[in-house]
Amino acid sequence: MRGASSIEKETQRLTPVVIVRVEKGEAECSRERFERDFTLGRGKYCDVRFNDHRVSSFHAKIVLEGGCWFVQDLQSTNGTYLNGVRIKKVALPPYATIKLARDGPTITLEIERQPEAMAAEVPSEGKSLTQIALRYFGTVVPGKIGMQTMLIRQAFKKVRRKHTQRYLTIISVILVLLLATLGALYYQSQRLKKMHALAEDIFYAMKTLELQISTLQSAVAHRGEAGLQKQVAEKVQQQRELQNSYSNFARELGISQEKLSKEDWLIYKIARLFGECDVSMPEDFMKMVREYIQKWRLSSRLQEAIVRAKANGYSAKIAQEMLANDLPPQFLYLALQESDFDVRRCGPPTSYGIAKGMWQFIPTTAVEYGLRTGPLVELPRPDPRDDRHDFEKSTRAAAKYLRDLYETEAQASGLLVIASYNWGQSNVLALIRQMPKNPRERNFWRLLAYKQIPQQTYDYVFYIISAAVIGENPRFFGFDFDSPLKLD
């Protein structure tokens, strides 16, 4: 009888193999051979990785099930096509052409011919073993069975009966333990599910309170009524209690500095600082932030911009202005993405005019927030008489503009604020206004689900998030500068 290792080798030898050839598109390799499941996509963790914006991070996968290969689309944006037909999951023919998006990268998949089933191998001593088995356990003509044979058969039956009873007992115990384990797992999963739902309820109640407090504070500033001030104080106390409850739930759900890796914890931390519910963070969000962190590593742009901001004293003043408007100081990185902290920056001509200054205000928004445009307003060049090039004036205006977006259309979602700032009111706000007007339904996680964000805005938001994550501990990520937000 062959051993278990021989059988495993035989199974591996009989496993069908898929040969992948990249016929069209930019990929890290042009030919691969797989004996296991593999993924296709743009993400760094894919087995076959493409550099193409039409390809999703995890676009499709090829899986082996029951000895047959299947191709499955992973809910990609632009679809997966097998021999010209869009599919969700189908069995692979021996030779197939796959397209990632209708006009995207093209690959061919070829299943190697499966080896013929091997003839059963019989050990050299098998003949004598067979004879022995037939003699003692085969069919015997009545009256021809000897005493020795009968005793051996009776002993074998007795041993087999005992083994059968033992195996049944073991199987029964295993089944009981398995059922108990499954019951415990089900109970724990239901408990975690309820905790997750309750944590979300607390978080969005907290965000609703934040908007109410902001509205009351505006009323106090205009009217100064003592009754309103008392309401503000009561709601602030309620908000603090909710914050403590939410933090406790998050820790129980595993979102804590002690239970997460340093990188993962910083990503969760920044998401929460920007006003997003981290316990309901989409699975792909963390992967995408890691990818954009790697993009920053491949460029000197981040380090050069931070050095410029520190040398001119920008980072501390921007952080102070954001805090004065009850905004996270991490909005500093929005100015980084807009202009690399260059107060003389001028954008290209657009239908809205030319954006200028560190915060890249277009003329109409600049005037709305108290900035004077200069005589060179229609020319893509710096203008010393244009307030948009004045660091302090433009920073105050930017903080007020961000705060207005935060309180109204963005519904206390910092990442929606960032998307709005880049995409513009005539575009992103039209999409945002399709969402219900409350923080639970109007947040960045919901916007991601719409899958209608242009690549420019997608890049814009994730570059800012990843820069904010790096900024919490630059040297941990391999950068040679300290956090620009470690203020006195």
Side-chain angles (χ1 to χ4, degrees), residues 40 94 160 194 198 241 252 312 325 338 398 412 453 475-476:
L40 313 172
R160 185 170 61 179
K194 290 179 180 178
L198 186 55
E241 292 172 358
E252 284 202 55
N312 289 282
N325 285 273
E338 284 288 346
I453 309 175
R475 297 188 188 278
F476 171 76

Side-chain angles (χ1 to χ4, degrees), residues 182 318 422:
L182 289 174
I318 292 173
N422 171 257

Side-chain angles (χ1 to χ4, degrees), residues 33-326:
R33 187 172 181 270
F34 292 95
E35 296 179 351
R36 56 170 177 78
D37 298 355
F38 57 98
T39 53
L40 313 172
R42 184 162 47 86
K44 64 183 286 188
Y45 298 105
C46 291
D47 298 291
V48 181
R49 188 179 178 190
F50 294 88
N51 184 15
D52 192 312
H53 70 277
R54 293 166 293 188
V55 178
S56 297
S57 297
F58 286 85
H59 197 104
K61 68 177 179 179
I62 314 299
V63 295
L64 183 63
E65 296 178 359
C68 295
W69 286 102
F70 289 81
V71 57
Q72 179 179 353
D73 182 81
L74 298 178
Q75 297 182 348
S76 62
T77 301
N78 296 314
T80 301
Y81 295 80
L82 171 63
N83 296 332
V85 178
R86 186 164 184 170
I87 56 91
K88 291 185 178 179
K89 181 178 181 181
V90 296
L92 273 178
Y95 187 88
T97 300
I98 300 292
K99 282 191 174 184
L100 307 182
R102 184 176 292 278
D103 57 344
T106 303
I107 62 173
T108 58
L109 303 176
E110 181 181 357
I111 302 177
E112 284 189 348
R113 182 180 299 174
Q114 185 173 345
E116 296 294 333
M118 297 181 64
E121 297 179 12
V122 179
S124 59
E125 68 273 22
K127 185 175 180 181
S128 60
L129 290 174
T130 302
Q131 288 177 337
I132 293 172
L134 288 173
R135 177 178 177 182
Y136 291 106
F137 306 109
T139 304
V140 180
V141 179
K144 299 293 183 180
I145 185 171
M147 180 63 67
Q148 182 181 2
T149 301
M150 184 175 66
L151 291 173
I152 290 174
R153 288 192 173 191
Q154 289 176 350
F156 177 75
K157 286 181 180 179
K158 187 175 181 180
V159 170
R160 185 170 61 179
R161 191 181 305 114
K162 287 184 177 179
H163 284 181
T164 301
Q165 291 174 349
R166 183 181 301 169
Y167 293 149
L168 288 174
T169 301
I170 293 172
I171 291 172
S172 299
V173 171
I174 292 173
L175 286 174
V176 170
L177 292 174
L178 180 61
L179 289 172
T181 302
L182 289 174
L185 289 174
Y186 176 77
Y187 170 79
Q188 183 66 6
S189 68
Q190 292 300 307
R191 177 175 173 271
L192 290 175
K193 189 175 180 180
K194 290 179 180 178
M195 286 178 58
H196 188 281
L198 186 55
E200 281 192 358
D201 290 342
I202 293 173
F203 182 87
Y204 289 114
M206 185 169 64
K207 300 303 289 183
T208 301
L209 266 176
E210 184 177 348
L211 293 173
Q212 293 174 357
I213 291 168
S214 180
T215 302
L216 287 170
Q217 286 175 333
S218 297
V220 169
H222 285 90
R223 292 181 286 179
E225 297 177 11
L228 292 176
Q229 292 177 342
K230 183 179 179 181
Q231 290 181 42
V232 169
E234 290 173 351
K235 290 187 179 296
V236 168
Q237 181 60 33
Q238 292 174 20
Q239 188 184 39
R240 287 173 181 168
E241 292 172 358
L242 289 174
Q243 286 173 340
N244 290 333
S245 297
Y246 180 76
S247 295
N248 291 334
F249 274 107
R251 277 194 294 272
E252 284 202 55
L253 291 168
I255 304 174
S256 68
Q257 194 168 2
E258 297 77 20
K259 295 181 181 180
L260 294 170
S261 69
K262 195 165 188 176
E263 184 179 43
D264 288 354
W265 166 246
L266 291 176
I267 294 173
Y268 273 105
K269 177 183 176 182
I270 290 301
R272 195 185 300 185
L273 282 173
F274 275 120
E276 303 302 332
C277 183
D278 47 352
V279 302
S280 57
M281 179 187 294
E283 293 181 5
D284 286 345
F285 179 79
M286 188 170 289
K287 294 178 183 177
M288 292 306 303
V289 174
R290 289 197 192 100
E291 287 188 19
Y292 281 81
I293 288 173
Q294 184 59 25
K295 290 182 180 182
W296 280 121
R297 285 192 178 114
L298 298 176
S299 168
S300 62
R301 179 184 160 216
L302 176 59
Q303 180 143 338
E304 291 171 355
I306 295 298
V307 169
R308 180 183 299 114
K310 285 187 174 181
N312 289 282
Y314 294 154
S315 53
K317 292 180 180 177
I318 292 173
Q320 290 165 3
E321 197 63 48
M322 295 302 162
L323 289 170
N325 285 273
D326 297 322

Side-chain angles (χ1 to χ4, degrees), residues 423-472:
W423 201 355
Q425 292 188 1
S426 64
N427 294 292
V428 71
L429 294 186
L431 183 59
I432 290 174
R433 285 167 181 158
Q434 297 176 22
M435 306 177 187
K437 194 172 182 180
N438 64 76
R440 179 183 286 276
E441 303 294 333
R442 188 177 287 195
N443 55 65
F444 189 69
W445 305 152
R446 292 301 176 98
L447 183 65
L448 283 177
Y450 275 73
K451 298 185 182 299
Q452 298 178 27
I453 309 175
Q455 189 64 39
Q456 176 190 355
T457 300
Y458 193 83
D459 290 338
Y460 182 87
V461 174
F462 276 98
Y463 269 122
I464 293 173
I465 298 168
S466 55
V469 172
I470 293 169
E472 294 299 296

